[in-house]
């Protein structure tokens, strides 16, 4: 059975790969219009075929299909619609196969462990299934139990995917930019991690601590008395599925507000907590209506409910620091910050021209800033061609790579983008990122000082640069030509007066920095800055000295 599964998965993947090579690399050169016209029907058939295979076999294929079905921000509707059924239509195992595993894990009959247990699963997942039950004290819970023999099925699926990855790695441009082997290793690691329900229960508790002060998010509580490595018991927090748009609207909840809160919740997880829910597909998120009325036309109050904490991601403090830099750069349209963060995080290859990359980022921001998710999807071909022509050399060399530590985060953000787009096609990521970026900048311990110092340094250098310029001019190094004797003294007086003005302006900048430091409760720093500013002002206010040729 395992070998048959391996060859079925491998055969499908290789047929799809051959289809792509034939149509997209060969026929597109000969009959591009015909290839474009037939693409929707062809890829709809392939998506439907993959969905049928995934439903039949389960395992890793379900995970892959769920990920692809959520990418409505990138994949066309005719593909995601075919794969969307993998969020709900995963067939459950017969209860007679599940019951022995449950009782073996719990060490007692189900009648002793639960007051009541529904034999019909309410949801089938890729690696397990969920049943509704009641603890002996009557508490309603959800019981997640692994599918029997899932380890052997995963091993077969991953072995088939390994062959596919090796075939794709034969394509040099793809091999240079993406470490496909590492990508598969990361995917495998997360799948095996999901099989440990004890770790998942601990993840749920950590998320609960992180969102303890947020009334808009609810994390279910695990019941350790009934949780084992292959059985997880959580409190029942099911509500409206996040992609049930009709039910959300019928409950009086604003879809755009749901998108906004989901986006903000993930900003917190990634940029503040460094610990994120890495599987935000529609089956793992619910919207629960609350009593009351929203303010400002925002609709009825609600709360986001998260479930399934088997796939999570961590971000190191150093990586989080540079991700925050990138977020600040995006929110403030600072291309320089974005490029510095990309470089520090390893997204730029050593040979990349940083100046050219910065120009490209600036142009991209100018073109896409303020566009909604719908507009980003429909970004015109003309715009892309213009950008390509302007930065043709950069894009042909393509000096970018995907660091291995960001593979899982990239997958998560892809799922998130798909959900947000489905909830609100007009959602504007830039407008939502700006206040968050401003807050990050304010929360940086010395971020505001760094910004002011960076601005002040340019002003601070001006008198020194001007002085060097004038000295070189007066020494004749710049070959100034003076045609009358008084011009030299007049030029010196004008330059010195201008220099005094620069010193005075610089002194005022230092004084302003000192006042700002005082307002930010930094008295020691304020005193130093005010002192420097005072000295600068005194130096700038000193009287002019008249200069005579020959020292007379």
């Amino acid at each position: 059975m395992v070998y048959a599964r391996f060859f079925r998965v491998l055969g499908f993947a290789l047929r799809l790969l051959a289809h792509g090579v034939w149509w997209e690399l060969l026929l597109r050169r000969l009959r591009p219009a015909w290839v474009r016209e037939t693409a929707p029907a062809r890829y709809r058939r392939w998506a439907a075929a993959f969905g049928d295979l995934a439903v039949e076999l389960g395992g890793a294929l379900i995970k892959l299909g769920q990920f692809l079905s959520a990418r409505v921000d990138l994949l066309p509707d005719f593909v995601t619609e075919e794969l969307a059924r993998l969020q709900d239509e995963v067939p459950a195992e017969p209860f007679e196969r599940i019951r022995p595993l449950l009782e073996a894990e719990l060490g007692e009959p189900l009648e002793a462990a639960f007051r009541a247990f529904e034999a019909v699963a309410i949801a089938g997942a890729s690696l397990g299934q969920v049943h509704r039950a009641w603890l002996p004290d009557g508490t309603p819970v959800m019981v997640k139990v692994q599918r029997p023999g899932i380890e052997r099925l995963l091993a077969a699926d991953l072995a088939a995917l390994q062959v596919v990855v090796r075939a794709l790695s034969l394509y040099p441009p793809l091999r240079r930019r993406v470490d496909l082997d590492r990508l598969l290793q990361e995917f495998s690691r997360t799948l095996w991690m999901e099989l440990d329900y004890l770790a998942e229960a601990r993840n749920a508790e950590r998320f609960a601590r992180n969102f303890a002060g947020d009334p808009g998010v609810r994390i279910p509580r695990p019941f350790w008395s009934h949780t084992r490595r292959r059985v997880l018991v959580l409190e029942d927090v099911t509500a409206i599925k996040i992609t049930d748009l009709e039910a959300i609207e019928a409950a009086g909840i604003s879809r755009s507000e749901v998108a906004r809160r989901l986006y903000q919740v993930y900003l917190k997880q990634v940029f503040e907590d460094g610990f994120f829910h890495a599987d935000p597909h529609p089956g793992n998120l619910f919207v629960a209506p609350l009593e009351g009325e929203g303010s400002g036309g925002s609709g009825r109050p609600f709360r986001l409910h998260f479930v399934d904490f088997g796939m999570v991601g961590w971000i190191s403090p150093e990586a989080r620091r540079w991700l925050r830099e990138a977020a600040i750069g995006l929110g403030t349209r600072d291309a320089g910050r974005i490029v510095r963060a990309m470089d520090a995080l390893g997204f730029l290859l050593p040979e990349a021209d940083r100046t050219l990359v910065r120009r490209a980022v600036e142009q991209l921001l100018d073109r896409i800033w303020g566009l909604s998710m719908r507009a980003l999807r429909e970004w015109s071909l003309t715009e892309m061609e213009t950008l390509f022509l302007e930065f043709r050399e950069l894009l042909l060399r393509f000096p970018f790579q995907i660091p291995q530590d960001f593979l899982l985060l990239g997958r998560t953000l892809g799922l998130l983008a798909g959900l947000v787009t489905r909830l609100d096609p007009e959602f504007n990521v830039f407008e939502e990122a700006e206040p968050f970026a401003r807050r990050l900048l304010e929360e940086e311990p010395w971020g505001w000082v760094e910004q002011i110092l960076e601005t002040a340094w340019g002003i601070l250098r001006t008198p020194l640069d001007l002085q060097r310029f004038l000295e070189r001019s007066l020494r004749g190094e710049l070959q100034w030509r003076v045609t009358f004797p008084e011009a030299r003294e007049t030029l010196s007086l004008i330059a010195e007066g201008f220099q005094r003005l620069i010193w005075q302006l610089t002194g005022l900048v230092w004084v302003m920095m000192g006042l700002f430091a005082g307002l930010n409760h930094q008295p020691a720093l304020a005193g130093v800055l005010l002192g420097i500013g005072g000295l600068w002002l005194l130096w700038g206010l000193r009287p002019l000295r008249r200069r005579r040729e020959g020292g007379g």
Side-chain angles (χ1 to χ4, degrees):
M1 173 183 175
V2 173
Y3 289 108
R5 179 188 185 91
F6 169 83
F7 286 112
R8 288 193 63 185
V9 174
L10 180 60
F12 181 89
L14 294 179
R15 289 196 305 274
L16 180 58
L17 182 61
H19 175 275
V21 171
W22 173 251
W23 285 87
E24 302 302 332
L25 295 183
L26 300 178
L27 288 184
R28 183 174 287 274
R29 297 175 181 270
L30 302 175
R31 302 184 61 183
W34 181 52
V35 171
R36 284 196 301 269
E37 290 173 2
T38 59
R42 287 187 288 109
Y43 283 104
R44 186 188 295 275
R45 288 196 300 271
W46 278 104
F50 176 82
D52 293 340
L53 183 66
V55 168
E56 179 184 351
L57 300 182
L61 298 186
I62 295 290
K63 280 290 181 186
L64 182 59
Q66 288 173 344
F67 170 64
L68 295 175
S69 71
R71 293 310 307 268
V72 297
D73 58 317
L74 293 180
L75 296 177
D77 294 338
F78 53 79
V79 171
T80 58
E81 287 172 0
E82 288 292 338
L83 297 177
R85 58 194 175 101
L86 296 179
Q87 307 292 352
D88 301 303
E89 296 183 11
V90 182
E93 293 283 345
F95 186 64
E96 55 268 21
R97 294 195 63 203
I98 291 295
R99 180 170 186 140
L101 188 150
L102 273 169
E103 294 184 337
E105 288 289 311
L106 295 173
E108 58 183 344
L110 286 185
E111 291 77 11
F114 300 97
R115 174 181 293 185
F117 192 100
E118 292 186 354
V120 178
I122 65 169
S126 54
L127 308 181
Q129 60 195 58
V130 181
H131 294 257
R132 180 173 281 111
W134 289 260
L135 295 179
D137 63 0
T139 302
V141 294
M142 308 303 292
V143 180
K144 182 178 176 181
V145 58
Q146 279 182 22
R147 295 175 180 269
I150 189 63
E151 292 91 348
R152 292 184 294 106
L153 301 183
L154 283 184
D157 293 347
L158 294 174
L161 291 176
Q162 180 66 57
V163 176
V164 176
V165 162
R166 289 176 180 172
L168 291 174
S169 297
L170 297 176
Y171 185 52
L174 185 61
R175 183 176 65 248
R176 286 196 302 266
R177 304 305 166 191
V178 183
D179 188 344
L180 292 175
D181 283 328
R182 181 64 186 180
L183 179 61
L184 181 59
Q185 289 175 18
E186 183 70 15
F187 182 58
S188 303
R189 185 188 66 82
T190 55
L191 283 178
W192 292 117
M193 183 174 61
E194 283 195 75
L195 295 181
D196 186 355
Y197 287 175
L198 293 172
E200 182 174 345
R202 290 191 292 270
N203 292 338
E205 290 189 327
R206 180 169 177 178
F207 278 114
R209 290 193 299 271
N210 290 345
F211 287 96
D214 189 344
V217 176
R218 184 177 178 186
I219 307 296
R221 176 170 63 97
F223 292 90
W224 288 102
S225 59
H226 290 67
T227 294
R228 304 291 186 270
R229 187 181 180 279
R230 295 194 292 173
V231 176
L232 174 63
V233 179
L234 299 170
E235 62 177 322
D236 187 354
V237 297
T238 53
I240 301 173
K241 186 179 175 181
I242 199 167
T243 51
D244 191 345
L245 306 183
E246 293 183 0
I248 291 174
E249 291 179 343
I253 298 172
S254 167
R255 287 167 48 185
S256 62
E257 286 298 317
V258 176
R260 180 174 293 107
R261 183 172 301 174
L262 180 63
Y263 184 67
Q264 295 294 334
V265 164
Y266 267 91
L267 289 178
K268 177 184 184 304
Q269 292 180 60
V270 173
F271 296 105
E272 296 181 16
D273 301 335
F275 181 69
F276 59 93
H277 185 286
D279 198 17
H281 75 74
N284 292 338
L285 286 160
F286 299 93
V287 180
L290 301 176
E291 296 300 326
E293 296 183 0
S295 58
S298 60
R300 183 177 178 181
F302 65 92
R303 187 162 51 201
L304 287 178
H305 291 185
F306 283 76
V307 299
D308 197 344
F309 307 96
M311 189 179 294
V312 297
W314 293 266
I315 303 173
S316 69
E318 179 66 14
R320 192 159 70 249
R321 174 199 167 200
W322 287 108
L323 283 174
R324 289 165 70 98
E325 278 289 296
I328 292 171
L330 178 63
T332 59
R333 297 182 67 173
D334 187 340
R337 274 186 180 269
I338 294 175
V339 174
R340 286 196 300 271
M342 291 172 61
D343 201 3
L345 292 170
F347 283 90
L348 297 181
L349 294 173
E351 65 270 18
D353 183 338
R354 271 64 175 169
T355 302
L356 190 58
V357 172
R358 176 172 178 166
R359 281 182 47 214
V361 172
E362 287 174 346
Q363 291 294 320
L364 183 62
L365 288 175
D366 287 342
R367 284 174 167 83
I368 68 173
W369 185 268
L371 296 182
S372 67
M373 298 298 287
R374 185 199 301 274
L376 286 174
R377 285 187 70 193
E378 299 171 354
W379 206 40
S380 69
L381 184 61
T382 303
E383 288 284 348
M384 289 187 284
E385 289 176 348
T386 301
L387 195 65
F388 177 79
L389 291 175
E390 187 170 351
F391 297 98
R392 184 174 183 272
E393 181 181 354
L394 174 69
L395 295 176
L396 288 177
R397 292 182 179 178
F398 202 73
F400 308 101
Q401 63 182 349
I402 303 175
Q404 61 188 36
D405 295 338
F406 291 91
L407 296 173
L408 185 59
L409 178 60
R411 173 191 182 277
T412 302
L413 296 180
L415 288 170
L416 178 65
L419 278 180
V420 168
T421 303
R422 184 173 296 181
L423 285 164
D424 182 11
E426 303 303 325
F427 187 82
N428 191 315
V429 296
F430 305 100
E431 290 181 357
E432 295 301 324
E434 184 173 2
F436 183 81
R438 297 291 181 185
R439 180 163 62 84
L440 287 181
L441 189 58
E442 292 172 0
E443 289 176 355
E444 291 291 329
W446 296 94
W448 59 273
V449 176
E450 179 185 353
Q451 292 297 304
I452 295 179
L453 288 176
E454 185 176 343
T455 304
W457 178 241
I459 301 175
L460 178 62
R461 290 180 52 190
T462 302
L464 303 175
D465 292 340
L466 179 61
Q467 183 175 352
R468 286 193 293 269
F469 170 76
L470 291 174
E471 288 175 351
R472 294 184 62 195
S473 299
L474 294 173
R475 288 196 302 266
E477 295 178 5
L478 298 181
Q479 297 183 354
W480 281 65
R481 296 183 182 272
V482 181
T483 58
F484 52 94
E486 293 81 5
R488 190 180 185 91
E489 183 179 352
T490 302
L491 178 62
S492 298
L493 290 173
I494 293 174
E496 189 174 347
F498 184 69
Q499 190 179 41
R500 297 290 189 278
L501 178 61
I502 296 298
W503 285 101
Q504 293 165 20
L505 292 175
T506 306
L508 289 175
V509 170
W510 285 108
V511 170
M512 291 173 60
M513 291 168 57
L515 294 175
F516 193 72
L519 293 175
N520 280 271
H521 309 291
Q522 301 284 343
L525 180 61
V528 173
L529 296 176
L530 289 172
I532 295 174
L535 293 175
W536 232 260
L537 285 173
L538 290 175
W539 184 252
L541 292 172
R542 72 190 190 281
L544 292 175
R545 297 170 295 165
R546 291 190 62 81
R547 299 181 182 180
R548 297 283 185 185
E549 289 290 341

